[in-house]
Amino acid sequence: MAISAFVDVIVERDVPVPMRDGVRLYADVYRPAEGGPYPVLLLRTPYNKADAQTMNYAHPQWYARHGYVVIVQDTRGRWSSEGEFSPYQREGADGVDTIAWAADLPYAAEKVGMYGFSYCGAVQWLAAAEAPRQLACIAPGMIGSDAYQGKTYTNGAFALAAMQSWVMFAAQDTALRKGRGDWASELNAHYAGIHHFYKKLPLNDPPEPMKELAPYYTEWLRRPLRDDYWASRSLRERYESIRVPALHIGGWYDLFIEGTIENFNGVRGRGANAQAREHQYLFIEPWFHMPWSRYVGELDFGPEAANRIDILQLAWFDWWLKDIRPDEPPPKVRYFEMGRNVWREADSWPPAQASQGERRAAYYLRSASRANSINGDGELSTEPAGDEYPDVYVYHPSIAVPAIGGRSGAVPDLTPMGPKNQLPVEIRNDVLVYTSAPLVEDVAIAGEITFELYAATTAEDTDFVAKLVDVHPDGRAYNIAEGIIRASYRHGLDKRVPVPSGEIIRYAFSLGSVAAAFLKGHAIRLDVTSSLFPTFDRNPNRVANPGEITEADFATATQTIYHDAQRPSRVWLPVVYGT
């Protein structure tokens, strides 16, 4: 049945949905006034059902006018719903109960699809892992694969800005639910001044409202190793349970991009049935976490990067919920190539032409005397080094290098997000800057960037940070990707081993996945330093629990970066074409 753009929509608000334990979760229901039954689109959110994530998506009435029953539900312990909020803990069971309730509505067809991004993406996976028979497909946006790696921690470094800003926001609703308007006001004041709050130590002694209303925050800090606690909360452990097609939506500047890609590949390889394994699709824009737009950070990626997710999702749900198959089979992967600002298609990620070993290009760190800052002589070269002196800089956590843009989340004025000019930090002597000669032709990359670093430190623990940068002909330098490793985690995420003072150690870590073209006349740059604050917490240069550190624990680390024939520090780029 064709649906008119002028179809009347019935809206029912605060509809109770009973859970198996007697708790009632409340939902708003949007449906066409006439006809039916219609398939269901379900959005379960901890961020207020009345908002329905409309910062990024069309309003539920838009989907209802296209022939869907749209149900937007407050998750357990959030906004209008009963129960206590404990992130992710009951979302699987609650999702199953809600799906069964929705499919049984008199005006609903027994086919349910789910959408939503971030936490609302995670609840889709958690419900899908329970294999409810009425769930036909999902469209999770910008969500990770692991509760520890790439979310709460990355290679041992605590994701300070993302975690603190999220917890502080989430706790405000909990305060109001408990009748503590004073706590909500206090949290809001800290939220407004969060750039000052990031510096407050120790991390495990937050203001009383955070401590009382969000005990999970201090629990995360007590668990800096990836143990069974984290494994039990991770999606990557449950790919074998997924039985439905999924449209994975990601962004190159989103903090969850690696997890989004892992979810896509994980279900393709390990899904519970052929339908799931054969019908995973990946769609990657140049966006950060939110809002979704062609304008990201300081760059305009052009009209091709405009937000068309609702049209994409409508075709997706029409396919799996209404059996309206696309005229042409869609590509498994559609990704946006930054720089050229064009769309590419592939059958896999990474694209086949970038996954072959001979296409991985090594760019070597070089310097004649010192690579400190853009005033130094650091060079990024395809020619290996011979006999060269190492570069030396000093890191002290009291004067950490600030993160300018990048892959944090979730609000750009609160956390470091997106492409931004890196010159304000590249003038510092505690940032080593290695820049290629201007390119004589375009160099495009698509895949994972890895960094092989030979370094020594005088501290028992420290961080090493690397940032890939696109240098424009006029000198502006925009971050493309970034990575960090906490040295004491070099043997794995489940243990910490102090670093012997002065010992030269090989570190290998990822700067993440990306698709970007460095254009002719531009240059490729790699920045190396030891902090990315407040995206990550400041390493005190000691082996200590991140929640317990105070300024009294800060120590100085002298870092030596080697780049010679025996110790060839280099970044590996997945070149698609060019040299």
Side-chain angles (χ1 to χ4, degrees):
M1 175 183 178
I3 302 298
S4 167
F6 299 100
V7 161
D8 289 333
V9 174
I10 294 173
V11 182
E12 300 174 79
R13 301 195 185 279
D14 297 318
V15 179
V17 184
M19 299 295 104
R20 64 190 66 178
D21 62 352
V23 168
R24 290 175 300 179
L25 308 185
Y26 286 85
D28 294 341
V29 180
Y30 306 79
R31 58 186 174 90
E34 298 180 0
Y38 298 103
V40 175
L41 299 184
L42 174 62
L43 169 61
R44 304 189 63 248
T45 176
Y47 304 125
N48 186 358
K49 61 182 173 60
D51 174 80
Q53 293 203 309
T54 51
M55 179 177 287
N56 290 344
Y57 297 110
H59 193 274
Q61 292 191 47
W62 184 87
Y63 284 98
R65 290 191 181 101
H66 285 83
Y68 288 95
V69 175
V70 185
I71 299 172
V72 186
Q73 180 189 64
D74 287 328
T75 55
R76 181 179 292 250
R78 302 296 295 166
W79 300 84
S80 64
S81 289
E82 297 174 354
E84 294 295 322
F85 178 56
S86 181
Y88 309 108
Q89 291 310 290
R90 291 193 59 91
E91 302 299 3
D94 288 351
V96 169
D97 293 348
T98 302
I99 290 166
W101 171 86
D104 198 43
L105 293 170
Y107 41 77
E110 202 176 36
K111 277 190 174 183
V112 178
M114 298 182 75
Y115 74 103
F117 80 102
S118 197
Y119 192 103
C120 307
V123 302
Q124 296 175 60
W125 284 116
L126 294 169
E130 302 293 329
R133 64 178 180 83
Q134 306 93 337
L135 184 64
C137 66
I138 58 177
M142 296 194 175
I143 188 59
S145 58
D146 191 55
Y148 179 95
Q149 179 71 350
K151 180 178 182 284
T152 312
Y153 292 85
T154 294
N155 295 333
F158 181 64
L160 180 70
M163 295 302 102
Q164 282 195 343
S165 63
W166 185 83
V167 169
M168 199 171 291
F169 173 78
Q172 291 180 50
D173 173 60
T174 308
L176 293 173
R177 291 167 58 87
K178 293 183 178 295
R180 293 300 304 265
D182 56 332
W183 277 1
S185 296
E186 182 181 345
L187 287 167
N188 187 58
H190 287 302
Y191 193 65
I194 200 163
H195 295 285
H196 297 287
F197 187 83
Y198 290 144
K199 296 180 180 179
K200 184 181 181 300
L201 296 175
L203 299 179
N204 66 1
D205 187 28
E208 183 182 5
M210 278 182 68
K211 195 177 298 184
E212 293 297 322
L213 302 173
Y216 44 85
Y217 169 70
T218 51
E219 177 75 8
W220 298 340
L221 287 166
R222 284 196 295 270
R223 296 179 175 274
L225 302 179
R226 191 183 185 279
D227 55 15
D228 290 343
Y229 170 90
W230 298 108
S232 68
R233 289 158 170 78
S234 294
L235 303 179
R236 63 164 57 146
E237 314 292 337
R238 308 189 68 179
Y239 294 145
E240 289 84 357
S241 301
I242 303 299
R243 308 181 65 84
V244 296
L247 172 63
H248 306 252
I249 299 167
W252 289 133
Y253 286 97
D254 180 48
L255 73 164
F256 296 128
I257 183 59
E258 294 309 303
T260 299
I261 292 171
E262 184 178 21
N263 290 336
F264 164 73
N265 283 324
V267 181
R268 286 191 86 185
R270 295 161 44 197
N273 57 24
Q275 178 174 261
R277 292 189 297 272
E278 294 170 6
H279 289 290
Q280 301 298 307
Y281 298 86
L282 180 63
F283 184 83
I284 307 179
E285 285 272 15
W287 303 333
F288 45 37
H289 202 62
M290 66 177 184
W292 299 347
S293 165
R294 60 184 277 182
Y295 306 102
V296 186
E298 296 177 3
L299 295 182
D300 174 7
F301 287 104
E304 288 296 310
N307 183 358
R308 300 186 180 94
I309 288 297
D310 296 298
I311 299 299
L312 179 72
Q313 287 193 155
L314 188 63
W316 174 253
F317 291 126
D318 283 351
W319 181 7
W320 295 106
L321 302 181
K322 296 182 178 180
D323 296 322
I324 303 175
R325 299 184 65 84
D327 294 335
E328 297 285 341
K332 295 298 183 184
V333 180
R334 286 196 72 208
Y335 64 92
F336 192 88
E337 183 190 271
M338 299 183 293
R340 288 184 178 272
N341 296 345
V342 296
W343 285 100
R344 304 290 185 189
E345 297 180 355
D347 294 326
S348 62
W349 187 268
Q353 66 267 39
S355 63
Q356 301 168 14
E358 66 271 20
R359 300 299 294 165
R360 293 181 69 233
Y363 282 75
Y364 294 86
L365 278 57
R366 306 284 303 274
S367 70
S369 60
R370 55 191 295 272
N372 306 78
S373 86
I374 55 172
N375 299 311
D377 58 12
E379 179 184 354
L380 196 64
S381 174
T382 56
E383 295 296 324
D387 294 329
E388 293 186 358
Y389 287 110
D391 291 308
V392 180
Y393 67 96
V394 173
Y395 160 62
H396 194 279
S398 64
I399 49 172
V401 175
I404 301 178
R407 290 176 171 173
S408 187
V411 182
D413 58 340
L414 301 179
T415 56
M417 293 164 57
K420 293 193 175 182
N421 192 352
Q422 299 301 303
L423 291 177
V425 295
E426 290 174 339
I427 61 174
R428 294 175 54 135
N429 274 342
D430 54 356
V431 178
L432 304 182
V433 179
Y434 302 92
T435 309
S436 76
L439 300 173
V440 297
E441 62 179 339
D442 295 353
V443 173
I445 59 175
E448 184 180 17
I449 302 159
T450 55
F451 185 38
E452 184 180 352
L453 173 69
Y454 291 83
T457 180
T458 58
E460 68 176 19
D461 191 19
T462 197
D463 289 349
F464 291 107
V465 170
K467 187 184 304 176
L468 188 68
V469 177
D470 179 9
V471 184
H472 289 224
D474 62 4
R476 289 174 297 142
Y478 292 104
N479 50 302
I480 298 290
E482 61 198 31
I484 189 170
I485 189 169
R486 188 145 291 178
S488 59
Y489 288 82
R490 65 196 181 279
H491 297 303
L493 302 179
D494 59 346
K495 54 184 170 294
R496 300 186 71 178
V497 180
V499 180
S501 180
E503 181 176 317
I504 302 172
I505 294 173
R506 177 186 176 273
Y507 300 91
F509 59 99
S510 175
L511 276 62
S513 299
V514 76
F518 298 89
L519 303 181
K520 179 181 177 180
H522 289 224
I524 304 172
R525 176 175 289 168
L526 191 77
D527 294 341
V528 178
T529 188
S530 287
S531 51
L532 196 64
F533 179 79
T535 299
F536 299 105
D537 66 322
R538 294 165 289 177
N539 193 322
N541 294 320
R542 301 182 189 276
V543 177
N545 184 290
E548 299 172 356
I549 294 161
T550 70
E551 289 83 355
D553 297 305
F554 287 176
T556 302
T558 299
Q559 322 287 47
T560 305
I561 306 302
Y562 293 84
H563 44 81
D564 53 44
Q566 290 72 41
R567 293 156 297 199
S569 293
R570 52 195 164 180
V571 60
W572 291 92
L573 301 184
V575 174
V576 179
Y577 56 86
T579 56

